[in-house]
Amino acid sequence: MDDYTVPLRDIRFVLDHVCRLEEITTFPGFEHVDVDTVDGLLVEAARFMEEVFAPTNRIGDLVGSRFVDGEVVTPDEFKKAWRAYVEAGWNAVSGPPEYGGGGFPHVVGFAISEMMTASNLAFSLCPMLTGSAITVLDDQPDETLKATYLEKLVTAEWTGTMVLTEPEAGSDVGALRTKAEPSDDGTWAITGTKIFITWGEHDLAENIVHLVLARTPGAPPGTKGISLFVVPKYVVGDDGSFEENGVRCVSIEHKLGIHGSPTCVLEFEEAKGWMVGEEHRGMRYMFKMMNQARVEVGLEGLAVAERAYQKALRYARERLQGRAVGAPPHERSPIIEHPDVRRMLMTMKAYDEAMRGLLYDVAGSVDRSRHHPDDVVREAAAARVALLTPVAKAWCTDVGVEMTSIGLQVHGGMGYVEETGVAQYYRDSRITPIYEGTNGIQAVDLVLRKLPMHGGRVVREYLAEIEGLDAPLAEAGPRFAAMRRELAEALRVLSEATTWLLGRDDPRDVLAGATPYLRMFGTVAGGAYLVRLALAAAKDGEDPWLRAKVATADFYARELLPSAVGLLGAVKAGAAPLYALDPEQLAPAR
Amino acid sequence: MKIAVCAKQIPDPATPYDLDPDHHWVVRPDDQVLDDTDRYGVEIGLQLAEASEGTVTLFSMSPAGTLQGIRQALAMGADKAVVISDPALKGSDAAVTAKVLAAAIEREGYDLVIAGTESTDGYTGVVPQMLAEHLGVPSLTFAKHVEAADGTLRIHRQTPEGYDVVEAALPAVVTVTAGVVEPRYPTFKGIMQAKQKPVEELSAADLGFGADDVGAAGSGTVVEGVTPVPARQAGEIVEDDGEAYLKILEILERAKVI
């Protein structure tokens, strides 16, 4: 009843036509990779996630991870699934080969991530954070740290965390107060309280590797005085023995959703830590971790929306209510035959595929930025990742929440009843616009940091690429006429908004337009990916699945893309309308 | 112990497949998957091989295609595969299939042959027994538990009431029922290794068969017609007026369920 089918053909299609996987497999370092092997891996990973992880989603919501006598206890089903995951080696696919990883392209691990996240969002956060910890540790120079932790993190026998937030330091990380005092043996003693630590404590793995931000004595205030430390739950001796460290979980949060994921308050009391890289440069390293995690959170938006869509579709085909126009008299129609329900399902399908295009483009660009033989291409790809990361995170999670809400709406009153199980998708997905940098922060990042990169060249090149679709659209015939018309209009508006933001001197005006601009950007970019996929589908042949690609892009162009055009006024309105009322005027009057 | 496991590549059951209109044969795409019921045979074969330091060889008769289904079984841990793939085999019935598989298994040598009870695309359910007849060895069926040691095969044979314990001398053929063990999931390493494992492709001629011995020409079976499964009838709705349980009891009695 709660089953999930990995949309394997969609994933492969995007890998082929957005990521250009075949080209990626020719890069240095991927000599052992070919498209057939990737296909074989994805087929087996899909079966594993559907059969082993997807069934744990509901129990994770109902039972959740619990705090019992100072310990975090996960559901038994989680423990069993985790063991199977570690044994099967799925965590290692894209990991560094020097430490037992498969050395596969990032996009391949990303595709497996989509499957796992859709199977169980709360659970998937554990390997997701572990993956981020692997990236940070692999990038830093200390060989001892690598040797101690990487192999076990790659297999997921140990798991990783990101430890930033404190009660007074949320979005404003620079305000954190956790201290790091030097010890005689060259290590550091970490003391402080951290909150909102996802999978900060649990019973799945032998050891947990915390990556902790803290302040060294005399450090400058703000983000420039923060250093990064590795603080293991158990300190590992030379002989592999474990010694307790001064870190403990004091409580876990009661949350709206993702009940399977323990969100911990961690107390560090002179916990032994090792500095990562150089002092005061912690935010730089952490950003590496966060940027990767931000795209993965964007993927969560898609993954939960996809699962909500599948369930809504099944319900709409079975549920009989009313008689659709044109149905025989006295016959009750499945609700999928009613126009409003069709609109909801098409909207979900179209946004899902648009999100997948954007997200996998970022993931494929990560591979190009690391492995392409030409350094000009590598740099351009890195810039593309930087530009698109806030859009991938914020647009996909905002849209993701909306899609789970629509999925619930398709179920009518039954959707609001917890037993139906779709409310969980809505509740789970609601965290995604918040964590890993709120979507408001992402919009600020986009307009203040990303648009001005290289004097605006990066964004202009990206927009020019979308403009380049006009010629193939013109040649592609009448089925593509609406796509061509609507994409051109939306792109004209996005270019105008971009120019306006880049030319604005008052940062208050730029910030005021940030959120509607990000929405507009995501909507246009998403449409462009659908168009690209539709053009590829038209070339590939005529089976019903390929024809659906064209029809879905056409729907998006006519029904969803025009919403971007309507946002131009909001982008250019400036700060004045937001501040027209003072806080007193916002308060209720009697 | 040398263990032969019969494994079939079939069109993905998740997507509808076609029968060709002239002969009603399954149209086989290039990408076929491992028949799910064969995972149980592979699993039991692997367990027996692990216990006896033996080997597992897969035997399959089908268009090789991309070999995806065979690679799936190799990824679980089987050592190698023998695939008999030949256009001349098209249209072979169960009897010919058994004859061809027997020849390939005989050629390779074996102590035990394991097969599923029936395939998910054809459902004839007679190939393993015919195979045993060709090989001239005992045929044990519907095993839900298999032990093999000291030249003896011992199985728990599923029956409607429970199970019989059945023994035979090795070599022998045994069919295993689906769902009796938990087939292992291929590991990432297993999938990578499967790429390197040997897959021997044989033609009918390699096994000494002429064009008339196999395929439609060699088969005694002709499928005369195929009819779609009739649509399910609408169920009976019992409105609860407080005494619906009586009505339900009556229905259950009529259906001889109680």
Side-chain angles (χ1 to χ4, degrees):
Chain A
M1 170 159 172
D2 202 27
D3 54 340
Y4 156 65
T5 305
V6 172
L8 209 46
R9 192 169 174 189
D10 281 276
I11 291 174
R12 286 165 151 177
F13 200 67
V14 170
L15 286 175
D16 283 346
H17 296 290
V18 176
C19 305
R20 289 169 286 135
L21 177 64
E22 195 151 357
E23 188 200 71
I24 291 178
T25 62
T26 64
F27 295 164
F30 295 142
E31 289 77 10
H32 61 304
V33 180
D34 59 72
V35 173
D36 271 356
T37 313
V38 171
D39 277 349
L41 275 180
L42 294 182
V43 167
E44 291 299 343
R47 216 165 59 84
F48 182 88
M49 294 304 168
E50 288 169 358
E51 292 177 10
V52 178
F53 268 86
T56 64
N57 196 42
R58 194 90 180 99
I59 198 84
D61 189 50
L62 293 173
V63 177
S65 288
R66 294 164 304 134
F67 193 61
V68 185
D69 301 329
E71 311 272 333
V72 174
V73 180
T74 59
D76 289 343
E77 290 80 357
F78 277 34
K79 296 192 211 10
K80 191 171 172 230
W82 189 254
R83 267 197 304 277
Y85 176 76
V86 173
E87 274 169 25
W90 289 118
N91 204 63
V93 173
S94 293
E98 314 86 282
Y99 299 97
F104 267 65
H106 177 69
V107 276
V108 178
F110 196 74
I112 296 172
S113 257
E114 178 187 336
M115 302 174 192
M116 177 151 187
T117 308
S119 297
N120 188 331
L121 168 61
F123 206 166
S124 74
L125 299 175
C126 189
M128 188 270 272
L129 290 162
T130 304
S132 295
I134 291 169
T135 303
V136 169
L137 286 169
D138 193 33
D139 269 0
Q140 60 80 43
D142 185 334
E143 291 297 331
T144 318
L145 285 183
K146 289 188 191 191
T148 311
Y149 298 109
L150 272 175
E151 217 162 289
K152 295 282 190 181
L153 287 169
V154 166
T155 60
E157 285 166 90
W158 298 355
T159 66
T161 67
M162 275 167 75
V163 185
L164 289 78
T165 305
E166 297 177 12
E168 296 302 322
S171 294
D172 182 8
V173 186
L176 68 83
R177 289 201 298 232
T178 294
K179 289 185 306 187
E181 302 273 354
S183 306
D184 296 340
D185 61 356
T187 66
W188 297 76
I190 315 292
T191 303
T193 303
K194 294 283 188 176
I195 63 169
F196 294 168
I197 309 309
T198 300
W199 287 96
E201 169 58 24
H202 59 83
D203 56 3
L204 296 178
E206 294 165 13
N207 203 356
I208 301 171
V209 184
H210 303 293
L211 284 160
V212 185
L213 289 183
R215 228 172 250 298
T216 50
T223 51
K224 291 191 169 64
I226 294 174
S227 305
L228 180 64
F229 299 87
V230 178
V231 183
K233 176 179 172 183
Y234 296 110
V235 175
V236 187
D238 293 339
D239 55 351
S241 62
F242 279 178
E243 190 187 317
E244 294 262 358
N245 201 0
V247 49
R248 65 189 184 101
C249 174
V250 287
S251 65
I252 67 173
E253 308 294 345
H254 300 274
K255 309 188 294 294
L256 177 66
I258 55 167
H259 295 153
S261 164
T263 305
C264 303
V265 177
L266 289 187
E267 210 158 81
F268 293 83
E269 223 177 301
E270 301 198 342
K272 199 167 192 166
W274 285 258
M275 190 182 280
V276 175
E278 290 168 42
E279 197 173 355
H280 302 160
R281 291 171 73 92
M283 277 310 281
R284 279 177 75 105
Y285 308 131
M286 195 52 108
F287 256 111
K288 206 161 240 173
M289 199 165 179
M290 286 198 309
N291 279 331
Q292 180 174 333
R294 282 176 175 178
V295 182
E296 297 268 353
V297 171
L299 184 62
E300 293 169 9
L302 160 64
V304 185
E306 169 71 41
R307 191 155 185 184
Y309 165 65
Q310 292 187 9
K311 188 140 175 157
L313 176 61
R314 273 198 302 277
Y315 186 78
R317 295 177 73 170
E318 286 166 9
R319 173 72 172 167
L320 303 176
Q321 286 290 286
R323 188 171 71 85
V325 176
H330 312 302
E331 196 176 291
R332 297 206 301 168
S333 306
I335 60 172
I336 193 172
E337 295 307 334
H338 299 303
D340 179 57
V341 177
R342 270 299 166 105
R343 172 182 302 284
M344 291 194 274
L345 292 169
M346 282 302 290
T347 301
M348 294 176 87
K349 179 175 169 56
Y351 270 128
D352 275 8
E353 295 179 14
M355 287 191 276
R356 190 172 287 111
L358 169 62
L359 289 159
Y360 280 69
D361 185 13
V362 180
S365 301
V366 168
D367 282 315
R368 282 194 172 73
S369 75
R370 291 179 186 162
H371 291 273
H372 197 284
D374 182 344
D375 54 1
V376 176
V377 177
R378 277 205 307 277
E379 267 168 45
R384 187 184 182 91
V385 172
L387 172 72
L388 295 180
T389 293
V391 185
K393 195 280 176 179
W395 185 68
C396 294
T397 56
D398 278 342
V399 171
V401 172
E402 289 162 25
M403 295 310 110
T404 57
S405 177
I406 292 177
L408 194 149
Q409 186 75 16
V410 170
H411 287 77
M414 291 308 292
Y416 202 64
V417 171
E418 282 289 354
E419 279 80 353
T420 308
V422 291
Q424 182 192 350
Y425 305 143
Y426 182 55
R427 288 185 288 99
D428 280 359
S429 133
R430 191 60 190 82
I431 182 61
T432 60
I434 301 173
Y435 62 17
E436 220 57 69
T438 64
N439 285 2
I441 297 265
Q442 303 302 325
V444 171
D445 180 44
L446 177 64
V447 297
L448 286 191
R449 288 207 196 96
K450 302 302 168 62
L451 292 190
M453 280 192 304
H454 303 298
R457 207 184 68 222
V458 181
V459 65
R460 297 240 176 266
E461 280 174 6
Y462 185 77
L463 299 184
E465 215 180 278
I466 298 178
E467 201 176 355
L469 290 168
D470 192 66
L473 278 174
E475 283 167 25
R479 280 197 301 169
F480 289 82
M483 282 181 237
R484 186 179 177 216
R485 186 182 68 235
E486 299 301 333
L487 188 63
E489 173 62 4
L491 182 64
R492 186 187 63 75
V493 170
L494 178 59
S495 303
E496 185 180 333
T498 306
T499 305
W500 189 86
L501 287 171
L502 281 169
R504 210 71 195 164
D505 289 331
D506 188 341
R508 276 174 304 188
D509 287 343
V510 176
L511 289 172
T515 291
Y517 176 75
L518 188 147
R519 178 77 188 204
M520 180 197 277
F521 195 115
T523 306
V524 178
Y529 291 109
L530 286 185
V531 163
R532 238 170 251 160
L533 293 168
L535 287 167
K539 273 201 191 120
D540 259 20
E542 277 298 321
D543 80 44
W545 188 90
L546 291 168
R547 281 202 302 276
K549 284 277 164 281
V550 178
T552 305
D554 180 66
F555 172 86
Y556 188 98
R558 291 171 194 266
E559 309 253 356
L560 305 175
L561 192 50
S563 69
V565 177
L567 289 166
L568 184 63
V571 173
K572 291 171 68 174
L578 299 185
Y579 293 92
L581 302 183
D582 61 41
E584 273 313 308
Q585 287 172 292
L586 287 166
R590 26 179 25 150
Chain B
M1 190 158 51
K2 236 179 147 175
I3 299 165
V5 175
C6 298
K8 190 170 185 184
Q9 299 196 109
I10 62 170
D12 190 339
T15 50
Y17 56 87
D18 297 325
L19 300 177
D20 87 74
D22 296 338
H23 309 93
H24 314 293
W25 298 333
V26 175
V27 177
R28 298 190 178 275
D30 245 14
D31 260 337
Q32 298 198 90
V33 299
L34 177 63
D35 189 334
D36 227 25
T37 61
D38 287 330
R39 290 182 191 275
Y40 302 94
V42 174
E43 177 61 37
I44 286 181
L46 290 172
Q47 288 180 12
L48 292 173
E50 280 157 13
S52 65
E53 291 181 19
T55 57
V56 172
T57 304
L58 306 166
F59 290 87
S60 190
M61 182 183 117
S62 82
T66 61
L67 285 173
Q68 184 189 210
I70 296 300
R71 296 275 175 217
Q72 286 176 309
L74 289 170
M76 287 176 73
D79 298 281
K80 61 176 188 164
V82 176
V83 178
I84 311 103
S85 172
D86 189 333
L89 293 168
K90 191 173 179 178
S92 297
D93 64 4
V96 170
T97 306
K99 181 167 76 179
V100 172
L101 285 174
I105 291 170
E106 192 95 74
R107 180 175 179 268
E108 186 74 21
Y110 68 100
D111 296 308
L112 174 65
V113 181
I114 303 176
T117 53
E118 58 185 359
S119 66
T120 307
D121 60 345
Y123 287 112
T124 63
V126 293
V127 171
Q129 294 74 40
M130 292 174 164
L131 178 60
E133 196 60 29
H134 282 293
L135 294 172
V137 299
S139 162
L140 281 62
T141 51
F142 299 110
K144 59 183 210 125
H145 174 77
V146 180
E147 293 166 37
D150 306 324
T152 303
L153 175 69
R154 187 184 160 93
I155 69 158
H156 293 177
R157 183 180 191 277
Q158 184 86 50
T159 68
E161 290 79 30
Y163 64 86
D164 299 331
V165 178
V166 183
E167 279 187 4
L170 289 171
V173 175
V174 61
T175 66
V176 298
T177 52
V180 292
V181 285
E182 205 172 315
R184 65 196 65 188
Y185 286 98
T187 63
F188 171 47
K189 283 208 174 81
I191 296 165
M192 295 306 291
Q193 283 162 358
K195 266 176 55 179
Q196 321 294 343
K197 288 180 177 172
V199 177
E200 188 179 3
E201 285 189 42
L202 299 178
S203 66
D206 291 335
L207 295 170
F209 296 113
D212 290 345
D213 302 327
V214 295
S219 296
T221 313
V222 175
V223 181
E224 291 195 337
V226 175
T227 316
V229 179
R232 220 162 33 152
Q233 298 294 307
E236 187 178 345
I237 295 169
V238 181
E239 296 273 356
D240 188 10
D241 51 6
E243 297 202 333
Y245 68 98
L246 292 174
K247 180 86 178 140
I248 291 169
L249 281 175
E250 191 193 311
I251 293 168
L252 292 175
E253 274 169 7
R254 208 180 336 132
K256 298 198 163 62
V257 177
I258 52 174

